[in-house]
Amino acid sequence: MRESVQAEVMMSFLVSEELSFRIPVELRYETCDPYAVRLTFHLPGDAPVTWAFGRELLIDGVGRPCGEGDVHIAPTGTEVLGEVLIRLQVGGDQALFRSSAPPLVAFLDRTDKLVPLGQEGTLADFDAHLDEALDRILAEEQSAG
């Protein structure tokens, strides 16, 4: 069984209302973390930056505004499969990206063929990975405090 899906999408990095530039963004989905998608942004002159967030958030965000906290995704208008805005925030800093919706939908369709939405919990390895991750987090917290 194939264990990942990836795609490269060109997005606009919106620096300000007057300034934006196109950058390649790698989208990745892996069965070892079936609830998440990863977007790796390749900004000129900087090391690549990867964000991971819920696959369902990206699915929902293509059609309607959604997201709380550090990630907000929303279509730019009322047209079906137009453009999508992705806002990523850390503290007071934020980055805004605009993407055409069809390549995002095509990527999400491929993830659904790999692991259908709602079937993520049926992956046996996921439970083992989750237990390992939780044990590691708890151990780190105990050693730090």
Side-chain angles (χ1 to χ4, degrees), residues 50-94:
T50 300
W51 277 73
F53 52 86
R55 173 172 66 155
E56 198 166 349
L57 176 64
L58 185 57
I59 291 169
D60 291 347
V62 169
R64 64 177 175 79
C66 62
E68 294 180 18
D70 297 341
V71 180
H72 294 262
I73 303 173
T76 60
T78 57
E79 63 206 54
V80 175
L81 293 182
E83 292 185 319
V84 176
L85 291 176
I86 300 172
R87 182 171 55 88
L88 307 173
Q89 186 168 339
V90 176
D93 296 328
Q94 72 175 12

Side-chain angles (χ1 to χ4, degrees), residues 131-145:
D131 287 341
E132 289 172 16
L134 290 173
D135 288 343
R136 188 174 55 250
I137 291 167
L138 289 172
E140 289 172 4
E141 286 180 358
Q142 288 175 353
S143 67

